[in-house]
Amino acid sequence: MGMEDDARGFFVLIINSIAVTLIWMIANVLFGIYMGYAFYADSPGWQNIIYYLISLVTFILLIRYLRSKWKV
């Protein structure tokens, strides 16, 4: 008694999408909160600006990746 191949492929797609998104979120938390690049006192420094730019670019790439994986 096994799952059908279509259902198995669909669940693998769901799990892969969740895993990639969680890895992206964990990386942002690591660099942003734990290493302190997400916070600034009076004005953002060059490190904060680079962090936010990289975060934005990787978010756009993540969305493009997920859209291409889910396109049927």
Side-chain angles (χ1 to χ4, degrees), residues 4-14:
E4 295 181 16
D5 291 335
D6 292 338
R8 183 183 307 265
F10 183 67
F11 287 128
V12 167
L13 182 63
I14 291 172

Side-chain angles (χ1 to χ4, degrees), residues 1-47:
M1 279 239 164
M3 295 176 67
E4 295 181 16
D5 291 335
D6 292 338
R8 183 183 307 265
F10 183 67
F11 287 128
V12 167
L13 182 63
I14 291 172
I15 297 300
N16 285 341
S17 298
I18 291 171
V20 169
T21 305
L22 283 176
I23 289 171
W24 178 81
M25 291 170 71
I26 289 170
N28 275 318
V29 167
L30 174 71
F31 288 106
I33 295 175
Y34 291 143
M35 293 187 179
Y37 294 125
F39 307 114
Y40 51 89
D42 295 329
S43 63
W46 65 272
Q47 295 168 332

Side-chain angles (χ1 to χ4, degrees), residues 13 65-72:
L13 182 63
Y65 172 76
L66 291 175
R67 286 185 76 193
S68 70
K69 288 298 264 186
W70 281 90
K71 187 176 272 189
V72 177

